[in-house]
Structures are given as structure tokens and as C-alpha cells.
Amino acid sequence: MNAGDPPFYDYEHDPAAIYRRSFAIVRGEADLARLPESLHPAAIRMIHACGMPEIVADIGWRGDVAAIVAQALAAGAPVFADVRMVCEGIIARRLPADNSLVCTLNDPGVPDLAKRLGTTRSAAAVDLWADRLDGAVVVIGNAPTALFHLLERIHQGFPRPAAILGFPVGFVGAAESKEALLDSPLGIPCLALRGRKGGSAIAAAALNALAAGVPEETAP
């Protein structure tokens, strides 16, 4: 290479090959035996999203959440998300029924509502879901307060979603909110990542895997 020439890097260029190899590595390094087979695609995509095979030990679930999410989406259920980052990570073109992706965080009425309720905007935005929450799929990828508030509202009489994917991330309330989801007497089918880890990328990856007709080896 002559001085001034751009460097040459020997790396895989083909996206399909990258995905095949990535998922093969995940399958080789992650112990999926503790999970039902229906959750293997979700676990693999979650691991792929964060690069940490060890998170499989912290995956918690309730009910046949994989089947419930697939059925709800096939029936046209909307997907509610606490933040736009979750919506951006969902492969919308592969949702089976042109499902709506709904995030109300930036609704103009949310700041005032949050002040009246004495809570975060993420939590207050949940109140705007009531009219369409029945049978929906909820994906929480950021805010513990949104997950806590959702559970509170359902206890108070809000419609029940078909399933909740709970992946709040952080140091204050994240672990506790996911334990509240998994232990809730509401009995709503759910998928969560115990502890502090989580985030929008993992949440969207889980939804992508659970959406009908999305094999985990397929690149977006």
C-alpha cells in the first residue's frame, strides 16, 4: 500500500452472511436450554442486539407469550411503545397485519398531564393508551415508570393488553418494575429481562422475533 492510499480491511460485506454467522455464534455461545423453544428466537435476537450471551440467564416470562404476541399481531393489534426508539427498532414492514406503532410520549398534552399526576412524561403518556389498549401488544424499552404506571392503571380498570414486553433499563426502578410485571396478579403474558439491563434495542429485537413470520436468521 502506498502512502496516502486508503487502508484495506478484510471483513464480511454480505449482510445475509453476517446474519447467518452472527446467529450461529449466538446459538453456539448461549445456553438456551432453560427457555421454552418458542422463546429461542426472541432470546437469540435479544442477545444479538446487545452482544451479551449471558443475558439468557435473566430472561423471564409468563404464559405462552410467544404464541399470544403472534396471535395478537396477526389479528391486527396495535403495538404501544414507551419511546420512539422502540418504534424505530421494530421492523414495521414485517408486522403481519400492517399493525400500528403507537408512541404517545410526544403528544402535546403529556407534559401538563405529567405535572398533574406528579410523574414522568413516559408514565403520563400511558394514560393516552386507554382507548386502544384492549388486546394490544405493549413494548416498554426505556422507562420503569411507564411499566409501573401501566400495571397500576390496569389494576384500576384500564383494558388488558394481550401481552407486555418489559425491558426498562437503568439503576432506579428498572429491576423492580420488571419483577412487578413478572409477579403481577394480573397474569398478563409477558417477557422481560431481569435486573438493570434492557433498553430499546433489546425490546425491539424481542418484538421483531415474536412477530409472526420473522425467523431469527433473517436480516432486517
Side-chain angles (χ1 to χ4, degrees):
M1 183 174 67
N2 297 322
D5 288 345
F8 173 79
Y9 299 107
D10 185 12
Y11 62 96
E12 180 61 69
H13 293 72
D14 178 49
I18 291 169
Y19 268 73
R20 285 193 300 271
R21 184 177 177 190
S22 294
F23 288 119
I25 292 171
V26 171
R27 285 188 178 277
E29 295 187 8
D31 182 4
L32 303 175
R34 63 175 294 271
L35 303 177
E37 287 191 12
S38 63
L39 289 180
H40 287 192
I44 289 168
R45 273 202 176 269
M46 289 162 59
I47 293 166
H48 182 255
C50 66
M52 294 183 289
E54 63 270 20
I55 68 167
V56 70
D58 295 321
I59 295 175
W61 70 95
R62 187 166 188 171
D64 191 357
V65 63
I68 295 297
V69 169
Q71 291 165 8
L73 293 177
V79 178
F80 286 93
D82 61 327
V83 292
R84 282 298 312 169
M85 286 187 291
V86 171
C87 293
E88 293 299 325
I90 293 171
I91 307 172
R93 69 181 183 275
R94 290 192 174 162
L95 294 176
D98 195 25
N99 307 75
S100 299
L101 298 177
V102 183
C103 176
T104 55
L105 181 60
N106 293 323
D107 184 281
V110 164
D112 286 341
L113 180 58
K115 289 180 181 178
R116 291 200 304 272
L117 295 175
T119 189
T120 66
R121 290 191 303 116
S122 298
V126 168
D127 279 6
L128 304 184
W129 298 355
D131 290 345
R132 301 179 63 196
L133 191 59
D134 186 25
V137 176
V138 175
V139 187
I140 305 294
N142 184 44
T145 55
L147 182 51
F148 275 129
H149 192 65
L150 174 64
L151 295 174
E152 291 170 343
R153 286 306 198 213
I154 297 171
H155 275 289
Q156 293 165 359
F158 264 37
R160 290 169 59 93
I164 301 172
L165 309 187
F167 296 93
V169 61
F171 298 93
V172 179
E176 294 83 355
S177 68
K178 289 175 281 192
E179 292 302 323
L181 171 63
L182 292 165
D183 294 339
S184 171
L186 294 167
I188 296 171
C190 62
L191 179 66
L193 185 63
R194 286 187 161 98
R196 296 172 173 178
K197 297 184 181 73
S200 298
I202 294 177
L207 189 281
N208 288 336
L210 296 178
V214 183
E216 74 269 14
E217 288 85 1
T218 302

